[in-house]
Each structure stands twice: as C-alpha cells, then as structure tokens.
C-alpha cells in the first residue's frame, strides 16, 4: 500500500529511478521541489537537497521573497518512489494566479491506479490541520487526467486563464 513519506536520503536510488522515468517521458516532476536543486546524482548533493526541502516547511526559517514555505512528500510503495506532492502554506501572487497550494505528479508507470487522487486527499487533511479553509489546485488546461483528479477530490473550477505556466485550469477545494 502506498504511503506519503517525508523526503529522505534512504530513498536516493529509488528517487533517481523515478526521476529518470519522468525525464525519459519528457515530463516535469510537479510537487517535487526539484526546481530547488541542480545536480542530484551524488549522495552529498541529494542529501543537501533533502535538507533544503525540510527547511522549506519550517516557518521559522526565512525564505527568499519569491518563495513560500511548503511541505514535501513522496508517494512510496514497497521502497519505490511513485510520485511526489507538495503543499504550499500560503499563496503569493504567482501561486494565486497559476500554481496553487498543492502540486503533484505520479511517474508514468504508476498512473491510472488512483494514486494522485489518494495523495491529494491525504494532503487535504494536512491543509485542514494547518487551518486552511480552502486550497487552490491548478493544472494545464490540456491535462485532462489531472483535471479529473482535482474534480474527484472536490475541486470546483473557478476559471481557465493564460498564466506564466501557459493555459491553466484553476480549481478551489473547500475544506470545511
């Protein structure tokens, strides 16, 4: 059974395997925080990145002005990294327009198993526990699988707009 785990160095090899699968498919790892890293093949660089992801969730640690605090998890089953998901603690202007509170992705070989819906549902519990009343989740307008996932989790389409990320569907999920 899949579980959400905090990024850790013990999963370095499993994470690299998942990363390589995404790369081979020509896809980004949304929700992974990988944009905060350069090279992750070496154990030292990977450990630094995992520590950086951990610090991103710590509200007492100041962040650059363009970033917000976020919590990261990996979707793991039997030691295999199947995906990633993150929850931003608040929205800045960019996230309100395009990115949202939650970002996620499931590696190509693990799709169509309900993992994304399950992971979003688990993270919604964390959002509620943080005191959020609602969360924004967005996806590319042509990503019908992600749109269905968001809708299954209670997402109500607010609009479709052109953003820095391209044509974007924006959904709100009420947490009351």
């Amino acid at each position: 059974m899949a579980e959400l785990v905090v990024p850790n160095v013990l999963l370095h090899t499993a994470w690299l395997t998942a990363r390589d699968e995404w790369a081979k498919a020509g896809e980004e790892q949304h929700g992974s925080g990988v944009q905060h890293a350069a090279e992750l093949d070496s154990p030292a660089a990977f450990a630094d990145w995992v520590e950086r992801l951990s610090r991103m969730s710590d509200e007492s640690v100041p962040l650059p002005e363009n970033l917000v605090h976020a919590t990261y998890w990996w979707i793991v089953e039997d030691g295999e990294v199947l995906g990633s998901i993150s929850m931003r603690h608040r929205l800045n202007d960019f996230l309100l327009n395009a990115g949202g509170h939650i970002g996620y992705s499931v590696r190509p070989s693990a799709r169509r198993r309900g993992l994304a819906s399950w992971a979003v549902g688990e993270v919604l519990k964390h959002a509620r526990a943080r005191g959020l009343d609602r969360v924004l989740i967005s996806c590319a307008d042509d990503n019908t699988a992600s749109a269905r996932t968001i809708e299954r989790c209670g997402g109500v389409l607010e609009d479709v707009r052109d953003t820095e990320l391209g044509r974007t569907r924006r959904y709100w999920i009420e947490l009351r």
Side-chain angles (χ1 to χ4, degrees), residues 143-157:
N143 188 341
T144 56
S146 193
R148 281 194 309 270
T149 294
I150 297 166
E151 291 165 0
R152 263 194 300 277
C153 291
V156 176
L157 182 66

Side-chain angles (χ1 to χ4, degrees), residues 3-22:
E3 60 183 325
L4 293 184
V5 300
V6 174
N8 67 76
V9 296
L10 299 176
L11 290 168
H12 184 206
T13 302
W15 187 88
L16 289 174
T17 300
R19 179 210 55 190
D20 292 347
E21 184 178 320
W22 266 296

Side-chain angles (χ1 to χ4, degrees), residues 3-168:
E3 60 183 325
L4 293 184
V5 300
V6 174
N8 67 76
V9 296
L10 299 176
L11 290 168
H12 184 206
T13 302
W15 187 88
L16 289 174
T17 300
R19 179 210 55 190
D20 292 347
E21 184 178 320
W22 266 296
K24 185 176 181 180
E27 297 180 13
E28 294 181 41
Q29 288 178 259
H30 298 286
S32 69
V34 75
Q35 72 275 18
H36 302 296
E39 183 277 318
L40 296 174
D41 291 327
S42 79
F46 190 79
D48 288 345
W49 176 61
V50 165
E51 176 58 30
R52 199 166 336 141
L53 292 180
S54 177
R55 284 194 313 272
M56 296 266 315
S57 70
D58 185 347
E59 300 270 347
S60 70
V61 174
L63 296 177
E65 191 173 309
N66 62 327
L67 297 179
V68 300
H69 288 94
T71 303
Y72 294 88
W73 296 272
W74 293 336
I75 304 166
V76 177
E77 185 175 67
D78 298 326
E80 184 179 13
V81 176
L82 303 178
S84 56
I85 189 163
S86 64
M87 178 188 68
R88 291 134 190 147
H89 300 180
R90 67 175 184 81
L91 300 177
N92 58 20
D93 289 340
F94 169 76
L95 294 171
L96 180 60
N97 186 51
H101 286 96
I102 296 173
Y104 62 90
S105 58
V106 174
R107 67 193 277 183
S109 64
R111 293 181 184 156
R112 302 190 59 84
R113 293 178 37 197
L115 288 168
S117 296
W118 169 81
V120 170
E122 292 299 302
V123 171
L124 291 174
K125 295 174 191 173
H126 289 277
R128 191 175 295 112
R130 287 196 66 78
L132 296 175
D133 293 328
R134 64 186 192 148
V135 297
L136 176 66
I137 306 180
S138 68
C139 67
D141 187 37
D142 62 355
N143 188 341
T144 56
S146 193
R148 281 194 309 270
T149 294
I150 297 166
E151 291 165 0
R152 263 194 300 277
C153 291
V156 176
L157 182 66
E158 178 177 74
D159 61 19
V160 179
R161 61 174 70 170
D162 293 317
T163 72
E164 300 92 325
L165 300 176
R167 193 118 177 105
T168 302

